[in-house]
Amino acid sequence: YFRMSSIDSIPKPIVLFWPGNLRVRDNSCLQYVWEKFRKDDIAYVYLENKLPALSNNLSDAAIQNLAKNINLNGGSLLRFSGSDYESALNDALDALTKKNENLAVVYTTSFVEPIRTICNTVTTTLGKRNIKAVQCLGGGTANEYNFNSRTKVFNNKFAKSAINHFNSSSQPINEVTSNDEGGEDLAFHYVREYILLGESAFSSKYVEKYIQQLGRSDDHLQSLRRLMTNGGRSSILSRVQANHFFQGEVLSGLLSPLMELGCISPRQLLQIKRGVLQQQPFNCRLRNEAIRKAWHLHLASLESTSAVNTTSWTYSYRYWRGFVQRDAFMADDTQFDPKKAAIVCIHGFGGSINQFTGMAALLRKDFNVFALDSLGFGHSEKPPVSYNQYLWRDQVVEFIDSVIVPQYIAATGGEQQIKVIVAGNSIGGF
């Protein structure tokens, strides 16, 4: 679990939280410190950047829910903010520690941006202050998935056992009592509802919330609403099919942003199969969510730890609306140059970033070359969502706004006009 073998001699542990680690259950940091220390000696700290790079509309509710669940376990969540994560961490350490006091700061690692960068910042800051860092392997992934097992349709007669399995945890979790609640409680509420209602009834109940979650632009929202059966009018089709979305689409769209925030882990979803239905293999959408998410996080770990090839792409992984996205950068000596314009390469149908490797190598001397795998292609996640041009267009626009533009602003102070050229092949050009 840990890069450090033991912190038994450290009298005061501080557990750090940020988006990506906002849960009590299946939290490797909490599991460790609760076994080693008295809960009264543990400080729980949420670090936030005043200019967050990854928050979504669920993050505030998730933080409030985390604070409530920590309180149920006898603790109190303290929040510190700064212009960046280094200043927020320094403020927290100054407020919580005495001179020459021995500390261990415990936090989860990740290979997905911007959490990876945050972790590196925290590690560097703690090193400057000579404070021990305990890095837990975060994410709640598991490598014991059986990809070759035969499956059959999930039988709802096991729903009661599954609910009992969720309620048997040693950490108390509240039931969701209002639409304002979120975070870990909301994630487990969705899981319970899906088990009890089944695919069709769950999708009908939460389809509008899913549409609002995935569709941000007007035309994308309209395209998703067209998939709702007949606008509510009676027809033969509407009697047997609640909507025209994929099986598991509504569930995946609602759970994935909560998994991005770290409110529930892939391993927890898999525990339904292991703990409740071990003798009943089934094609459960919850199991599919766990396997797909863990697989793409594994890809992120492989490419993030491989040596950088200065003649090719530098890959990064980040979340987009809860789904894992791979993107890439290429420039001379792998260095971003704010004096150069940016080119964003959008691959064609069935393609990936690698479609542009040769062209990028020719352009790198004069441009900062960026590319990304559209959702459903390459090493980006392949969730059961309704793919269309609006989805992919919004992914590109948000990549430019949230990843490329901030690099120019940080390098120039916002004083320089930013030029971004979009180059697309086939449907990428469309």
Side-chain angles (χ1 to χ4, degrees):
Y1 265 74
F2 300 97
R3 307 272 173 90
M4 259 182 65
S5 60
S6 174
I7 59 171
D8 293 343
S9 61
I10 305 300
K12 186 173 182 179
I14 297 176
V15 182
L16 298 183
F17 296 88
W18 44 62
N21 181 34
L22 298 181
R23 65 178 180 272
V24 171
R25 284 183 173 181
D26 195 35
N27 188 313
S28 54
C29 294
L30 295 180
Q31 289 169 0
Y32 185 77
V33 297
W34 285 351
E35 289 177 1
K36 295 288 185 182
F37 304 95
R38 293 191 316 116
K39 290 188 178 181
D40 293 343
D41 295 332
I42 304 169
Y44 306 91
V45 172
Y46 177 77
L47 293 181
E48 54 189 336
N49 186 348
K50 289 181 179 177
L51 299 173
L54 75 165
S55 63
N56 58 37
N57 60 335
L58 297 172
S59 58
D60 288 341
I63 297 165
Q64 294 173 11
N65 186 251
L66 173 68
K68 180 169 61 176
N69 287 333
I70 288 178
N71 184 261
L72 287 173
N73 284 275
S76 178
L77 184 67
L78 305 174
R79 297 178 65 168
F80 292 87
S81 64
S83 57
D84 52 38
Y85 282 96
E86 181 177 5
S87 62
L89 176 59
N90 280 321
D91 289 346
L93 294 173
D94 292 339
L96 293 173
T97 63
K98 301 175 183 178
K99 188 176 181 180
N100 298 325
E101 184 176 19
N102 288 327
L103 294 173
V105 177
V106 186
Y107 54 98
T108 59
T109 61
S110 174
F111 296 103
V112 179
E113 295 291 350
I115 301 300
R116 185 186 183 195
T117 299
I118 295 172
C119 292
N120 292 338
T121 299
V122 169
T123 303
T124 302
T125 304
L126 294 176
K128 292 177 182 177
R129 298 182 61 137
N130 198 27
I131 295 175
K132 289 187 173 71
V134 181
Q135 298 179 338
C136 307
L137 299 180
T141 58
N143 59 6
E144 62 267 31
Y145 305 128
N146 182 0
F147 290 94
N148 299 316
S149 63
R150 294 183 179 180
T151 60
K152 63 182 180 181
V153 177
F154 174 40
N155 191 329
N156 274 335
K157 75 178 182 178
F158 299 104
K160 185 176 181 180
S161 297
I163 296 300
N164 290 337
H165 173 70
F166 278 113
N167 291 334
S168 65
S169 172
S170 58
Q171 289 87 41
I173 296 293
N174 296 329
E175 289 289 345
V176 174
T177 56
S178 74
N179 292 330
D180 296 329
E181 294 193 50
E184 189 171 10
D185 290 354
L186 181 61
F188 275 86
H189 172 75
Y190 285 146
V191 172
R192 292 187 182 102
E193 287 274 272
Y194 185 77
I195 292 171
L196 289 173
L197 297 176
E199 168 67 32
S200 180
F202 178 89
S203 297
S204 296
K205 182 174 181 178
Y206 291 104
V207 63
E208 181 59 33
K209 183 172 287 190
Y210 159 69
I211 289 174
Q212 292 292 336
Q213 188 85 3
L214 185 67
R216 308 286 173 85
S217 59
D218 290 341
D219 39 16
H220 193 198
L221 286 168
Q222 292 174 10
S223 70
L224 291 173
R225 289 203 170 94
R226 292 190 192 104
L227 298 174
M228 298 176 70
T229 300
N230 228 14
R233 296 188 297 273
S234 176
S235 70
I236 295 176
L237 179 63
S238 64
R239 294 171 195 167
V240 297
Q241 187 173 337
N243 54 60
H244 300 295
F245 295 102
F246 288 112
Q247 286 194 17
E249 178 172 355
V250 173
L251 173 72
S252 181
L254 294 176
L255 272 185
S256 287
L258 294 170
M259 296 175 78
E260 172 190 355
L261 291 170
C263 300
I264 189 169
S265 70
R267 182 166 51 207
Q268 287 171 292
L269 297 181
L270 192 69
Q271 283 174 347
I272 302 173
K273 176 180 180 292
R274 291 205 312 263
V276 181
L277 305 174
Q278 195 167 10
Q279 305 303 320
Q280 299 290 335
F282 60 100
N283 187 19
C284 178
R285 299 297 165 183
L286 293 169
R287 177 179 179 272
N288 292 350
E289 286 296 305
I291 293 175
R292 188 187 71 245
K293 194 73 68 176
W295 170 247
H296 285 88
L297 292 175
H298 180 59
L299 290 178
S301 71
L302 291 177
E303 287 197 308
S304 297
T305 55
S306 60
V308 175
N309 185 347
T310 57
T311 63
S312 188
W313 298 106
T314 299
Y315 294 106
S316 297
Y317 286 77
R318 68 192 78 244
Y319 285 106
W320 181 70
R321 300 189 187 175
F323 304 114
V324 179
Q325 165 190 297
R326 183 180 74 158
D327 52 72
F329 171 73
M330 190 187 296
D332 273 350
D333 301 321
T334 69
Q335 296 297 314
F336 173 81
D337 186 351
K339 297 179 182 179
K340 297 179 180 178
I343 287 185
V344 185
C345 301
I346 317 300
H347 63 77
F349 199 88
S352 70
I353 290 170
N354 304 81
Q355 189 175 29
F356 284 97
T357 301
M359 189 183 81
L362 299 175
L363 296 172
R364 59 187 297 176
K365 292 183 179 180
D366 302 308
F367 299 93
N368 296 307
V369 186
F370 295 86
L372 74 160
D373 285 338
S374 298
L375 202 65
F377 299 105
H379 283 195
S380 288
E381 196 171 336
K382 299 158 185 64
V385 299
S386 297
Y387 295 95
N388 59 35
Q389 67 270 36
Y390 307 117
L391 174 80
W392 291 318
R393 178 206 62 193
D394 291 352
Q395 183 185 1
V396 173
V397 171
E398 291 181 27
F399 174 69
I400 294 172
D401 285 342
S402 64
V403 177
I404 298 177
V405 171
Q407 292 187 51
Y408 281 95
I409 293 176
T412 65
E415 299 296 327
Q416 176 181 312
Q417 185 178 12
I418 301 170
K419 184 176 182 180
V420 179
I421 302 167
V422 179
N425 167 247
S426 189
I427 197 171
F430 173 70

